[in-house]
Amino acid sequence: MDKNGNGILARLKKSEMADRLSLIIALIILVIFFSVQNRHYFTTQNLINILVTCSLMGFIAIGETYLIIANQIDLSAGSVAAFSGVLVAVLVGMGVNPLLALLITVIVGGLIGALNATGINFLNLQPFIATLASMQIIRGFAYILCDGKAVPISNIDFINLGSKPIIGRITFPVILLLLAFIVLGVILKKTYFGRSIYVLGGNPYAARLAGLNPKAVIYKLHILSGIMAALAGALLAARMNSGQPSACDGLEFDGVTAAVLGGCAFTGGVGTILGTFIGMLVLQSFNTGLIMLNVQIFWQNVAQGALLVVALAFDFYRKKAAAKKLETKTA
Amino acid sequence: MASIEFRNISKTFPGVKALDNISFKAESGKVYAFLGENGAGKSTLLKIMNGDYQPTSGEMFINGEKKSFSTPKEAIAEGISVIYQERQVVKEMTVAENVFLGSWTKGKLGLVDFAEMNAKTAEIISSLHMNIEPDRKVSTLSIAEQQLVEIIKAIVRDSNIIAFDEPTASLSDDEIDNLFEIIKSLQKQNKIIFYVSHRMNEIRKIAEKVIIFKDGKLVDLVDTDNVTDDQLISLMVGRPLGKIFEELDRNDKIGETIIKVENLTTSYVNNISFEGRRGEILGFAGLVGAGRTEIMKAIFGLDRVKEGKIWIDGKEYIPRSPAYAIENGIALVPEDRKDQGILPNISVRGNISISVLKKKLLTKIKFIDEDAEKEIAAKSIKALNIRTPDDEKLISQLSGGNQQKTILGRWLETEPEILILDEPTKGIDVGAKSDFYKLICDCAKKGILVILISSELSEIIGLCDRVMVVREGQISKELDRSELSEETILKYAMVTK
């Protein structure tokens, strides 16, 4: 590491690491706990499985992270994912080239996001309300598109896209997800667009006075969220060999949970992609661990909710202590 | 006879002495007017009276008994009601529900007894010779009627001390007459009434006594009949201008016209015409709510322009959006620093760089050039003397004066030709203020047109080359530097013919 502190680790600011520290510790504790309970937990195959499962929720979490920082939200992400799964299955079934089908699906996802943004920008709808409405509408169209029946996929090229290992045992969705985290993490941290997201979430009126165009930013954010959801849904369909209209129910909440675990604040202006990445890992390691311990599904729900409350309560007290320390320092 | 007495009340906020040793006694059956400039301490005293603030020192006596309130609820229980300019009504509830807010009459089974509540409210309304149905939703009432709801609330609580904070600011003449009738009938019932207003003729009509505040001090308590308007105004302002202004290095080379505004009309202002020149400090004086801010909002592309034209450097300029205004060399430091100025969750560096990020600070691959950004921040911090440990500190953790300097730094980075400052020194301490005055003069020297909105007349007089006085959405007078005095400005800002 060089003296100027330009090394990758040094560039992760100390404060940022401290902010994530409790989460990283939680992750380590979880992994140790489950590894002790089940000797199949800490194996390469299982860790890859965790990442594969993440590739569904992870894309959504990235979109939600961008949105929450800007004080927005997208409740339609799960529905868009389901719709995209059905759409891509139908397209592939019609003989469209798999990559082209994926591209079309992703564009449609982006368009749905643009519609959400239009409702927010020009009908003055709250993001919560606008995307609540589209959540229902898009879910409806997912069923309409396939007449309520799952659409099987037989195109082997497309199925391979979902599950054929590319590097070692790592599959395309996992690589794409990691790539998305890196690229969108850099964009959020390093670009004007990234900065404007924080500015918008902190104080939209001041942002406008400072020369930003909040409406344009809101468009970009929801389009991104739509694209992410479409990717997640289409790749799930490839992995499952079918597009299912009932899939991804409540997926947006998993994405939001990962983002919030990772430090995103619902008041806007705060959050990082790195945080969300760790938040996602914590959530998924926890879920996978519970399944491997054969915990009853109903109790899994209870445990997930409890995890969120415990994590946020911990964070609350940590911040309060930090604020107190600051106060005594300046006084 | 009821009475309220203040003895040596002082109130200090960080860096500001809002009230300095206030003592007086008020007796029932009289109306006391509070007169003073913005920030003279009138509202602070009302807030101490109703338990919103606690005095730093001093005591309050009601009917000879010592009282201190730690919450407004305690003050209400002691019979004190303050009726604020912004009405504290719940719009989606009925008149009666608002009147009994928080202490709804309970009937059988502990349920709210609406019939009883409505009947009681109707009784009071008719005793005031008014005509409002108790079960109407407050959102359907006019502003004057909403104010009446507040007054009825005070009567229901059996308040003996009722204070009105600029009650007529948004009322029509008829409505004002009506309000005065009500105040007179309250007076007959031996209530103590405080009345805060800037309007001389109202004070003459309604108040027996006038209490004059200046810089947190009580200047005088006089009988209204024994003083003239001119005497009142000079009691209110008559202080020599601070030395600060004499020592400023003013720009004496005023250039050609940079902005020309003709007949600008929006929903809030009418027929505004003025010109501003390079290197000039152009003041906009007037009462709060007169429309000064709204003129600037229109120019900056925030309010829709209905009529009128603007030229910048001889070219017609149509204010589309703040971004477009910035492109045309306009910068605006807004009035409400906390809600409109700072980006609270961003560092000092990010707060400075935001306005030029896109134009100056992107590398070839469109990343933010952090080194250049740090340089710009360091330059501003040094030039404006911003007191911060480093440029990564969150702006919300700085003092008000330093936040304001940071925002000024943000705008100076855009190299503006027209710099609009809306109440730039509001709520910042004296030291930071004098820093700010120097910065304003430096800007003018660089050839920037500085448009200064301020409610502090000493600032306007000490700094400005010319002043536009705004009253009720219109420019009532243009004054040259040689004509500036607090009396003259106030005359055009307040008096309605």
Side-chain angles (χ1 to χ4, degrees), chain B residues 336-398:
Chain B
D336 190 334
R337 183 172 57 238
K338 199 165 141 260
D339 284 345
Q340 303 172 357
I342 64 168
L343 307 165
N345 50 312
I346 305 244
S347 64
V348 171
R349 188 205 309 163
N351 263 282
I352 293 172
S353 66
I354 184 68
S355 58
V356 289
L357 216 49
K358 206 169 170 179
K359 224 166 93 190
K360 286 195 199 164
L361 295 177
L362 295 186
T363 60
K364 272 181 198 149
I365 49 166
K366 299 285 174 205
F367 279 11
I368 295 168
D369 182 345
E370 281 188 30
D371 293 335
E373 193 192 5
K374 276 181 190 158
E375 227 167 83
I376 277 187
K379 204 177 70 190
S380 276
I381 289 171
K382 189 152 173 264
L384 304 183
N385 192 17
I386 299 170
R387 256 153 275 164
T388 173
D390 55 61
D391 65 0
E392 297 202 355
K393 188 122 179 131
L394 291 185
I395 191 172
S396 48
Q397 293 169 345
L398 300 188

Side-chain angles (χ1 to χ4, degrees), chain A residues 190 195 202-203 206 208-209 269, chain B residues 322 339-340 345 368 373 411:
Chain A
K190 294 276 178 190
R195 189 70 68 86
N203 188 340
R208 192 159 165 245
L209 282 185
Chain B
D339 284 345
Q340 303 172 357
N345 50 312
I368 295 168
E373 193 192 5
W411 290 113

Side-chain angles (χ1 to χ4, degrees), chain B residues 2 27-31 81 83 124 127-129 147-148 150-164 167 178-195 206 208:
Chain B
E27 285 168 349
S28 59
K30 290 205 175 83
V31 178
S81 284
I83 292 154
I124 298 165
S127 80
L128 294 172
H129 310 289
Q147 206 162 45
L148 281 172
E150 294 269 295
I151 297 173
I152 298 167
K153 212 196 283 184
I155 296 172
V156 163
R157 286 168 177 173
D158 205 17
S159 301
N160 282 318
I161 302 167
I162 302 175
F164 295 86
N178 228 324
L179 176 69
F180 283 5
E181 285 303 312
I182 292 168
I183 292 179
K184 283 195 173 130
S185 84
L186 291 171
Q187 194 184 353
K188 282 199 195 99
Q189 296 166 32
N190 264 331
K191 313 267 188 209
I192 303 174
I193 293 166
F194 294 115
Y195 187 90
I206 196 81
E208 280 85 23

Side-chain angles (χ1 to χ4, degrees), chain B residues 427-444:
Chain B
I428 68 180
D429 60 72
V430 181
K433 269 186 190 172
S434 81
D435 281 2
F436 233 88
Y437 299 149
K438 286 190 196 111
L439 292 171
I440 290 173
C441 288
D442 289 349
C443 289

Side-chain angles (χ1 to χ4, degrees), chain B residues 216-285:
Chain B
K217 293 195 180 77
L218 193 155
V219 181
D220 212 343
L221 195 166
V222 294
D223 286 327
T224 317
D225 293 339
N226 295 341
V227 286
T228 63
D229 281 4
D230 282 348
Q231 279 172 324
L232 280 177
I233 290 183
S234 81
L235 279 173
M236 199 170 130
V237 298
R239 100 200 86 153
L241 288 182
K243 253 191 152 181
I244 301 168
F245 295 110
E246 288 163 29
E247 288 164 359
L248 286 174
D249 183 15
R250 298 180 55 80
N251 176 33
D252 44 16
K253 291 185 294 268
I254 288 172
E256 73 275 26
T257 300
I258 166 117
I259 186 167
K260 188 174 166 204
V261 176
E262 224 175 68
N263 299 325
L264 183 75
T265 301
T266 69
S267 306
Y268 309 100
V269 294
N270 280 314
N271 254 326
I272 302 294
S273 299
F274 69 91
E275 283 184 25
R277 303 178 192 117
R278 285 179 195 278
E280 185 180 34
I281 303 177
L282 177 62
F284 275 76

